[in-house]
Amino acid sequence: SVRLWDIRMGKPIRCFKGHQNTCKNFVRARFGPGKDMVMSGSEDGIVYMWNLESAQLTQRLAGHAGVAYDAVWNEGLSVLASCSHDGSVRTWCYDPKQ
């Protein structure tokens, strides 16, 4: 799971579940579109997106054949880019209305 931490208190305040990770790979999580989303890669090659407030899984973006290590949101282009151990970089258009 991905955890959002309050670093002042030293405690997790929210847990985002659904992706697959072990301690073998460092997979980055970031804030996404509109800063109300959290996104993370996963060992199953899928990029996962959750609502920040509810921690509800909202999107699963499949397309990598290896571990998806990172995903970056570009506000100006409304595009998400993800990279994988398989050497691929994928771009995803994001429409908040869908």
Side-chain angles (χ1 to χ4, degrees):
S1 63
V2 172
R3 289 182 167 52
L4 179 63
W5 286 78
D6 181 331
I7 58 172
R8 295 168 294 177
M9 300 295 289
K11 296 180 181 180
I13 57 175
R14 197 153 295 116
C15 183
F16 304 91
K17 296 182 180 181
H19 74 316
Q20 298 175 5
N21 282 345
T22 65
C23 60
K24 294 180 183 178
N25 295 295
F26 180 77
V27 176
R28 180 174 259 170
R30 298 177 184 254
F31 293 102
K35 305 298 184 230
D36 61 350
M37 304 290 285
V38 173
M39 57 190 180
S40 175
S42 179
E43 288 181 350
D44 60 6
I46 297 173
V47 175
Y48 290 82
M49 297 176 72
W50 297 269
N51 177 280
L52 177 61
E53 291 302 316
S54 69
Q56 183 174 3
L57 182 64
T58 59
Q59 294 277 331
R60 295 175 74 241
L61 305 173
H64 292 292
V67 176
Y69 287 115
D70 199 2
V72 178
W73 172 248
N74 182 303
E75 190 75 37
L77 298 175
S78 294
V79 170
L80 176 99
S82 59
C83 63
S84 172
H85 186 77
D86 65 12
S88 67
V89 173
R90 302 267 187 238
T91 55
W92 315 87
C93 295
Y94 179 73
D95 182 356
K97 296 177 182 121
Q98 290 185 348

